[in-house]
Amino acid sequence: MTKVITYGTYDMLHYGHIRLLERAKELGDYLIVGVTSDDYDQTRGKINNQQTLTERIQAVRDTGLADEIIVEEYEGQKIDDIRRYDIDIFTVGSDWVGKFDYLNEYCKVVYLDRTQGVSSTEIRSKEREIRIGLVGNTESRILNKYCDEFIFVNGADVAGLCTTNRSLQETMSTKVPYITDNFEELLSACDAVYLISQPQDHYQQIKKALSSGKHVLVEAPITLSKSECEELFAIAEERQLILMEAVKTAYAMAYNRLLLLIKSGKIGKVVSVDAVCTSLYDIETNKGEVWNSITAWGPTALLPVFQILGTNYKDIRLISLFTDKQIKLDAFTKIDFVYESATATVKVGRGVKAEGELVVAGTDGYVYVPAPWWKTDYFEVRYENPENNRRYFYQLDGEGIRYEIVAFVKAIQRGGNNSYIDQNVSCSIAQIMEKFYVENNIELK
């Protein structure tokens, strides 16, 4: 019996996929099809799959062509599978010619011509075609970084940029097709907006965008008060629009695996969460900004606290040290939370530098994430007996920006919220922002 094996993502299975499977089947008597897992696809830069692994496996099964279906989960698995299943022929599409010649040492390698005019990438792009406008007056280096991330998301294009920064318009002219200083004008040219604007502008901008029928992705915090945040979510729900908070860390694979391990009881009952986020900051250069410590770093640092311990804390204490209260710049803020049976501490700073680590302590062990924990690709689970310690590695591309854009686009396409951040977490973050401004008697203008 001649055994044949082939691999693929098989996202949105189409005629080209089926034709390849048919021809692979003709090469032997028994066909094994490897379907790549979501995690493995992400390590290869494929972050725009429209279907889950279960849906993709079922689509392959429904063709009736696979005698056996396996899941491809790691680099080098092809060699293991060829040996394990005693494979005679490995086959793949001709666009991979030469890529898998090294497998000739283990079996025969056959490259099959692909069906012309059929592409999963093109199908995904045609389905979405989401035009997203960027809004922000920040420096061009940062906006360029955000624009560049759209390259990795099929069908999501930068429709234009809204900024009042004239010098920024000049430096960004080659990056985006359309630049304006009129927000309403941008709204008329796009399907959705990504707000990278000042936090005190978010409420009015989001409300105007939602009223214009546009979906909104917004850099955290969504607003600077809980009531405004709740109001905007209600408007989005009523108009059947997507409103998502952008905290890059929430979409990083390592961070999500960390949460799953903690919630599965890997370190026992959690008793404390300590998160530190700081960065140096040139105050003289950035006097026009109000991305102070609490707004710039607060949402990120608060994320693991609220996602692990919840938002029903019993007590809270907030202490801030100000560089200049008139321009609302807190150089450092420390927040202590008391829960029913746990505590948490958040430290954020701009113009102050500290070890930016995350430590989650439990009754059986603890999780340690080294600096900078908010964009980590690595963390450790540690125990009393160091022999039981485990290290986890995951790839992170684009600081997580491209992953949150993909989630946003999928939510728009499917008509349902695809955010990794619950609304109650977003509203609780806004509540902390409000507490900061009220307690420090700072009036927003």
Side-chain angles (χ1 to χ4, degrees), residues 275-295:
V276 180
C277 296
T278 64
S279 58
L280 295 180
Y281 185 61
D282 188 342
I283 295 171
E284 291 302 315
T285 302
N286 296 279
K287 276 193 173 180
E289 290 190 11
V290 288
W291 284 97
N292 48 23
S293 296
I294 194 69
T295 53

Side-chain angles (χ1 to χ4, degrees), residues 5 39 59 152 247 378 390 402 406 430 441:
I5 194 166
D39 287 353
F152 302 95
V247 181
Y378 158 79
R390 292 292 180 269
R402 66 190 64 169
V406 166
N441 196 29

Side-chain angles (χ1 to χ4, degrees), residues 111-135:
Y111 296 102
L112 297 172
D113 290 336
R114 286 195 177 273
T115 305
Q116 296 299 312
V118 182
S119 163
S120 298
T121 298
E122 290 179 1
I123 290 173
R124 284 191 291 264
S125 295
K126 288 177 181 177
E127 269 211 13
R128 292 187 280 174
E129 295 180 343
I130 306 298
R131 300 169 302 153
I132 300 179
L134 294 177
V135 181

Side-chain angles (χ1 to χ4, degrees), residues 223-281:
T223 63
L224 298 177
S225 85
K226 183 179 182 181
S227 61
E228 288 180 346
C229 190
E230 291 173 336
E231 177 191 346
L232 293 175
F233 274 122
I235 294 172
E237 184 176 355
E238 179 186 351
R239 293 177 174 268
Q240 296 184 316
L241 295 168
I242 303 301
L243 171 58
M244 279 177 53
E245 184 167 32
V247 181
K248 294 180 284 294
T249 305
Y251 298 86
M253 192 186 304
Y255 178 76
N256 278 282
R257 292 299 177 270
L258 177 153
L259 291 182
L260 289 174
L261 286 174
I262 291 172
K263 291 179 179 179
S264 68
K266 197 76 174 178
I267 60 172
K269 184 179 179 181
V270 176
V271 296
S272 83
V273 176
D274 295 289
V276 180
C277 296
T278 64
S279 58
L280 295 180
Y281 185 61

